[in-house]
Amino acid sequence: MKPTLTLLTTLLLAAFGTTVAQAANDSSAPSVPVVAGPLGSVDYRDWNHGTTMYGDGTTTVDQPYVVVLSTGRWLAIATTREREGLPCNLSVWWSDDVGKTWTWKKSVVIDKTAAWATTYLTSYGRIYAFYQTYDRIARFSAEWAFKYSDDNGETWSERHLIPTRLTAIDGTRGWWTGWSIDKPKLFRNQLFMAFTKKTSPSGKKPTDYNEGWYLVCTSNIETEKVVDKLTWETRPDGMVGLRDPDLSKKINAEFNTVPLSEALYCTARTYSGYILDAYSFDQGKTWSKM
C-alpha cells in the first residue's frame, strides 16, 4: 500500500529550510548540481539536498507529520516497524534545528497496533494525533482514534475512539478497513480529515476498489477543550464515497484536502496516469463528480 522508506526531510527543508548562505557554507552538503528553486539558488525539493531523518537498516519510519511548537521545536509523529506487514507503533520525534537532525524518543510510544497518524496543533498549544488503530474488532479492522498532548509531546492522553459510519463499501462485515494520509484542515470552524476505505483488506480481489470519505469534527476543536464533548460525522451524505464512477479504475486513494475561500477541494491518486479531483460547496456533504 505504501512504499517502505528511509525518510528524508527534503520537503521539510523546502518549506522551512536553511538560508542559501548557510547551505553554501555547509561543507557536508552533497556535491550535486545547484538548480534554481523557490528559496534561491538551492532547490530543496531535490532529493539529493535532503538529510536522513532516521535509518538504522532495520526500522521503517513511515509517514511523518510535523507541527512547529511555540518553542520553535519541530515535533513529528511517524509510523515505525521493522518491515512492511509487521505491527506498527506510533512514535514521537523532535528536531531543534529546523529538520536537519532528529531525535527519536523511544520511551514515548503513542500507541501500538496503530498507524498513519496525522497531526493537528491548536492555537492554544494542544497537539492532536489522529490515527487508525487495528485488530480491536477483527484483523485489519480499522477504527479512527486520537490522543492528545498538552506538554509539547512529552506525555499523551488515553486513547479516544471516534465513531465512523459504515457504508456500502464495507459490506456486511460490520467494520471498515483503510487508512489516511490527509493532514487535518480547519474550515469554517470544523476539522476535516479525508481517508480511504477499501472493499477488502488485501485489495487484490477482482471486484475490489477504493473510495474516499471524510471524518469531520463538527465542534470547534479550537475552543472546545473537553474532548468528550467533541462531535463527529462521516461525510459525504449517503452510502457512496468519493470515487471515479468508472469502477474499472479501481484505485481512488490517499485523498488530500485543500480549503478554499468558498469550498473544499479534494485530490486522489490513481493508476490511470492522472489525479482525480472534486469540489464541495456544502462542507463535504456532497461533492462534484471526480
Side-chain angles (χ1 to χ4, degrees):
M1 179 177 67
K2 292 180 169 58
T4 300
L5 299 176
T6 297
L7 289 162
L8 304 181
T9 57
T10 304
L11 295 179
L12 301 179
L13 287 171
F16 305 103
T18 57
T19 66
V20 174
Q22 288 173 318
N25 294 325
D26 184 359
S27 60
S28 64
S31 56
V32 297
V34 174
V35 294
L39 298 181
S41 61
V42 177
D43 189 347
Y44 288 106
R45 298 169 299 180
D46 189 326
W47 188 266
N48 293 302
H49 288 297
T51 56
T52 303
M53 183 174 181
Y54 184 79
D56 64 353
T58 62
T59 303
T60 294
V61 183
D62 200 357
Q63 195 170 301
Y65 282 87
V66 178
V67 292
V68 179
L69 306 177
S70 60
T71 60
R73 167 176 277 186
W74 291 13
L75 178 144
I77 298 175
T79 300
T80 53
R81 54 187 165 180
E82 292 185 5
R83 66 176 185 273
E84 187 83 17
L86 292 183
C88 303
N89 294 327
L90 295 177
S91 56
V92 177
W93 304 67
W94 285 276
S95 174
D96 291 311
D97 54 10
V98 294
K100 292 179 182 177
T101 59
W102 291 86
T103 300
W104 177 11
K105 193 168 183 179
K106 295 188 178 183
S107 62
V108 180
V109 177
I110 295 179
D111 212 335
K112 298 181 179 180
T113 64
W116 324 134
T118 59
T119 52
Y120 182 78
L121 179 65
T122 68
S123 58
Y124 59 88
R126 175 174 289 176
I127 308 165
Y128 281 95
F130 296 100
Y131 57 93
Q132 291 77 62
T133 182
Y134 299 90
D135 295 335
R136 198 180 74 89
I137 300 174
R139 182 168 171 77
F140 300 117
S141 62
E143 292 180 281
W144 269 105
F146 71 87
K147 291 189 176 183
Y148 64 89
S149 173
D150 288 325
D151 57 7
N152 289 331
E154 296 286 347
T155 61
W156 293 82
S157 72
E158 64 181 354
R159 176 198 287 179
H160 296 266
L161 295 175
I162 304 174
T164 308
R165 181 165 55 89
L166 296 179
T167 56
I169 195 173
D170 305 314
T172 59
R173 61 183 172 229
W175 47 269
W176 67 277
T177 186
W179 76 103
S180 175
I181 56 91
D182 189 33
K183 197 167 184 178
K185 314 293 195 314
L186 196 68
F187 180 68
R188 296 185 178 177
N189 295 326
Q190 297 185 5
L191 196 69
F192 290 80
M193 293 172 283
F195 65 102
T196 304
K197 280 189 177 186
K198 304 191 294 182
T199 46
S200 72
S202 70
K204 296 179 180 179
K205 297 178 181 178
T207 56
D208 281 342
Y209 63 92
N210 303 334
E211 63 184 24
W213 290 87
Y214 274 87
L215 189 67
V216 182
C217 181
T218 57
S219 310
N220 190 341
I221 201 168
E222 287 288 342
T223 57
E224 181 54 79
K225 297 182 181 181
V226 180
V227 296
D228 290 339
K229 293 184 178 181
L230 297 175
T231 55
W232 303 89
E233 289 184 7
T234 305
R235 297 179 186 171
D237 294 342
M239 296 297 285
V240 178
L242 282 74
R243 69 185 190 210
D244 190 324
D246 181 359
L247 287 183
S248 66
K249 300 171 182 176
K250 300 174 182 179
I251 300 300
N252 311 266
E254 302 192 337
F255 294 79
N256 272 288
T257 311
V258 179
L260 306 176
S261 59
E262 299 296 330
L264 291 170
Y265 176 64
C266 177
T267 63
R269 74 173 177 89
T270 71
Y271 283 172
S272 304
Y274 52 83
I275 64 170
L276 295 174
D277 65 353
Y279 293 87
S280 174
F281 292 90
D282 57 6
Q283 301 187 69
K285 295 178 181 179
T286 61
W287 290 83
S288 64
K289 180 180 176 181
M290 298 201 90

